[in-house]
Amino acid sequence: MFNQRIKIKDLLATHYEQQEVVVMGWVRTFRNNQFIALNDGSTGSNLQVVLELGLFEESLLKRITTSASLKVRGLVVPSLGKGQTIELKAKEVEILGDSDAEAYPLQPKKHSLEFLREIAHLRFRTNTFGSVFRVRHALSFAIHQFFNERGFVYMHTPIITASDAEGAGEMFRVTTLSPDKPPMNEEGGVNFKEDFFGRAANLTVSGQLEGELGATAFGEIYTFGPTFRAENSNTARHLAEFWMIEPEMAFCDLEDNMNLAESFIQHIIRYALKHNAADLEFLDQRLAEEEKQLPQDKRSEMGLLEKLSFVVNNQFERITYTEAIDILLQSPAYKKKKFQYDVKWGIDMQSEHERYLVEKHFKKPVIVTNYPKDIKAFYMRQNDDGKTVAAMDILAPGIGEIVGGSQREERLDRLVARMQEMHIPTDELWWYLDTRKFGTVPHAGFGLGFERMVQFVTGMGNIRDVIAFPRTPKNCEF
Ligand code: ATP
Ligand code: MN
């Protein structure tokens, strides 16, 4: 029977002194045939298990190796050693699973993040990844909590979709046709009529269009699921498979949308600060160590914890795209030709521009609104100036774009006209257009890239280190 065990997190948090308990976990280190640092994943802190000399067989002691799994029954006593208040005086030790410490890839020393990516199946057992993935869990929970408390309906939008109209990125095809000899049509292309769905299908890049169908019935919905982009961008912020949170609200304009996004981000960070203090403390120190290696001008101005409390306690800056371009044009960086890409009204800002705005100019998250219509999607609400749309992107220090959203075009004639201009087939999206025919309402929503959010909260520089098994170009291991 296993469920009588107590988790190390609970044990360390509660006063069980002089009580007998059972713990189970993996050996991190074993010193002097006497002190085991035992970790069970519930917390980054190890439990010190003390073996009285002479009480255990030599043959058993030999099997207590790094990463062996143990069951220990013992007495909780105050610790004499440094670094812990209690320890477990072992009465009974059972090896649940042996481990060949020589062959075990994780040695008790510092490994590079690149190396740990190659052994992603074991990296959860390190302090860093233990903390990152406990924080990732907390953020997921806080997301559901935030929306549930506000009466949003959690909607599961499809993963496989036949519409590729959204144009958010390159798509992965889903097919059961033979790769060697697919059936061909008269024009010499693949005949998808013979494919599984009777038409070409892809993995979704966003649940938004379906989300709008939900919002125009339930009022407020959110999605939280995987999305896929076959974009060949090998950056520290792009994955081929990532998770996205997409709330969609009826009776909501751009300003309501921004207000919601801001309090949403603050809520989930606050939750993690409260419930994962030890993990964030650890990550704060890890980042400080890492930044010591950098030249002074590359270091962040704030530590991780300082940055998080700053974001929770201060309003985001709000500027229009036109103002953002003006700031860039006035910037010393522009004047000294420090930007690689050109700046002028109409450009899709590059990450160097976004980072200048948040890291150098405002030094806080920035919401940029009212982008040129030509660089944004067809469904964004057209502004009266004829040039811009009611879009909003949230830019975060160290990450760049973390949220993309907009008020949606609810006027059928304007929407159809824009779709025709952009060559988006209106007949394929007949169901989407129906919402504008049957009781259309002002509505808005946004997408938050979950991994970018986890990066922001954990301070991890590479997006591959905040998802369990990253999918990127030429990499699909595990
Ligand atoms: P970017 O310009 O950074 O590629 P995008 O404009 O393509 O982003 P959207 O289509 O607006 O992004 O998607 C909404 C959110 O999803 C983004 O704000 C970002 O947080 C996240 N996101 C987009 N693409 C990726 C990706 N390839 N990997 C991880 N997160 C992503
Ligand atoms: Mn993109």
Side-chain angles (χ1 to χ4, degrees):
M1 163 134 140
F2 279 92
N3 57 17
Q4 53 173 326
R5 82 178 169 108
I6 177 161
K7 291 196 178 182
I8 290 174
K9 182 179 182 185
D10 300 329
L11 185 60
L12 296 177
T14 327
H15 292 282
Y16 284 104
E17 275 173 41
Q18 303 309 327
Q19 290 188 47
E20 195 175 285
V21 299
V22 173
V23 295
M24 297 180 204
W26 294 267
V27 176
R28 284 282 171 90
T29 56
F30 185 33
R31 292 187 288 124
N32 301 346
N33 262 351
Q34 218 182 340
F35 302 105
I36 304 171
L38 194 72
N39 190 284
D40 71 358
S42 60
T43 159
S45 306
N46 301 322
L47 175 69
Q48 168 145 291
V49 177
V50 183
L51 307 187
E52 214 173 298
L53 285 172
L55 200 63
F56 297 91
E57 302 271 345
E58 193 63 30
S59 58
L60 180 97
L61 296 178
K62 279 216 179 79
R63 292 172 61 201
I64 303 176
T65 54
T66 299
S67 90
S69 50
L70 306 184
K71 171 179 179 181
V72 183
R73 181 187 302 282
L75 196 66
V76 182
V77 296
S79 176
L80 302 175
K82 272 206 194 119
Q84 66 261 331
T85 52
I86 56 155
E87 59 191 25
L88 193 67
K89 211 170 138 198
K91 289 187 168 171
E92 225 177 88
V93 176
E94 186 187 326
I95 312 271
L96 298 173
D98 288 286
S99 172
D100 178 354
E102 299 280 301
Y104 185 56
L106 285 172
Q107 297 301 317
K109 63 161 197 178
K110 216 170 152 49
H111 293 290
S112 74
L113 295 173
E114 289 77 15
F115 170 73
L116 292 172
R117 247 169 253 153
E118 287 166 21
I119 51 161
H121 61 306
L122 295 173
R123 66 179 177 169
F124 304 120
R125 299 184 186 193
T126 64
N127 292 332
T128 297
F129 288 93
S131 290
V132 167
F133 286 96
R134 277 187 296 271
V135 170
R136 185 180 164 115
H137 160 76
L139 292 171
S140 309
F141 181 79
I143 286 163
H144 288 297
Q145 183 191 56
F146 177 89
F147 288 119
N148 185 55
E149 279 171 2
R150 283 161 185 76
F152 283 58
V153 170
Y154 178 29
M155 182 172 168
H156 298 103
T157 50
I159 308 276
I160 299 176
T161 156
S163 72
D164 63 355
E166 219 250 337
E170 291 298 305
M171 302 184 101
F172 287 101
R173 175 129 293 160
V174 177
T175 180
T176 53
L177 293 178
S178 151
D180 316 316
K181 266 210 187 119
M184 305 304 272
N185 57 28
E186 270 142 37
E187 294 89 60
V190 174
N191 184 7
F192 287 107
K193 290 209 174 83
E194 288 188 33
D195 204 348
F196 188 90
F197 297 107
R199 59 200 288 190
N202 299 293
L203 292 178
T204 185
V205 293
S206 156
Q208 182 203 313
L209 299 188
E210 291 90 352
E212 287 185 50
L213 310 179
T216 50
F218 295 108
E220 294 176 317
I221 65 96
Y222 71 106
T223 71
F224 185 1
T227 47
F228 306 86
R229 300 197 183 171
E231 49 196 6
N232 205 349
S233 36
N234 250 309
T235 77
R237 307 177 301 119
H238 286 93
L239 291 164
E241 175 180 299
F242 66 100
W243 287 66
M244 189 142 66
I245 298 101
E246 294 181 282
E248 195 65 40
M249 296 78 68
F251 320 112
C252 178
D253 66 12
L254 189 65
E255 194 182 346
D256 300 316
N257 200 21
M258 289 192 270
N259 292 343
L260 184 88
E262 185 168 334
S263 42
F264 168 59
I265 290 173
Q266 289 175 331
H267 171 91
I268 62 178
I269 295 177
R270 209 176 286 125
Y271 183 92
L273 283 169
K274 183 166 170 204
H275 293 90
N276 292 68
D279 286 320
L280 290 173
E281 190 91 34
F282 175 84
L283 291 165
D284 178 85
Q285 277 163 28
R286 192 204 72 86
L287 190 63
E289 279 300 311
E290 191 181 83
E291 296 219 328
K292 274 192 200 151
Q293 321 293 322
L294 297 174
Q296 197 81 40
D297 65 322
K298 290 259 154 45
R299 294 181 198 167
S300 325
E301 279 176 35
M302 289 186 199
L304 180 65
L305 286 172
E306 197 187 350
K307 175 188 84 177
L308 295 177
S309 18
F310 180 86
V311 169
V312 163
N313 294 316
N314 287 278
Q315 289 192 333
F316 298 2
E317 195 67 39
R318 296 182 184 191
I319 56 167
T320 64
Y321 170 88
T322 304
E323 287 163 345
I325 293 294
D326 283 342
I327 291 169
L328 293 172
L329 289 172
Q330 303 297 326
S331 69
Y334 177 76
K335 291 181 177 154
K336 288 188 201 146
K337 300 198 176 4
K338 288 260 174 71
F339 292 131
Q340 196 187 333
Y341 295 90
D342 196 21
V343 180
K344 61 170 190 261
W345 200 94
I347 58 159
D348 199 356
M349 280 189 276
Q350 298 291 322
S351 92
E352 58 175 354
H353 306 136
E354 299 178 339
R355 295 185 71 155
Y356 178 85
L357 290 172
V358 285
E359 286 158 32
K360 294 273 174 339
H361 191 83
F362 288 112
K363 300 179 196 294
K364 53 152 95 167
V366 178
I367 312 185
V368 182
T369 57
N370 299 314
Y371 281 78
K373 64 176 200 252
D374 291 334
I375 57 169
K376 289 291 183 187
F378 72 89
Y379 48 72
M380 297 193 179
R381 192 173 197 278
Q382 298 156 51
N383 288 329
D384 293 339
D385 63 10
K387 294 191 304 192
T388 60
V389 286
M392 63 119 182
D393 280 7
I394 302 184
L395 314 178
I399 312 282
E401 182 187 329
I402 192 162
V403 162
S406 71
Q407 185 172 340
R408 318 305 187 190
E409 183 55 82
E410 84 284 10
R411 298 162 295 187
L412 181 65
D413 53 336
R414 307 290 292 265
L415 181 60
V416 170
R418 188 71 187 136
M419 288 172 81
Q420 283 164 349
E421 263 170 39
M422 294 176 77
H423 308 291
I424 310 262
T426 47
D427 52 340
E428 255 183 52
L429 288 179
W430 62 274
W431 46 271
Y432 183 70
L433 293 173
D434 265 5
T435 55
R436 274 68 169 173
K437 291 180 189 164
F438 306 119
T440 192
V441 283
H443 65 289
F446 63 85
L448 171 82
F450 186 49
E451 283 74 19
R452 292 201 191 162
M453 189 68 212
V454 182
Q455 272 191 282
F456 184 73
V457 177
T458 59
M460 299 301 282
N462 195 312
I463 200 164
R464 293 164 179 77
D465 296 330
V466 298
I467 188 163
F469 303 110
R471 270 75 180 99
T472 50
K474 302 281 178 286
N475 173 38
C476 197
E477 189 73 35
F478 309 106

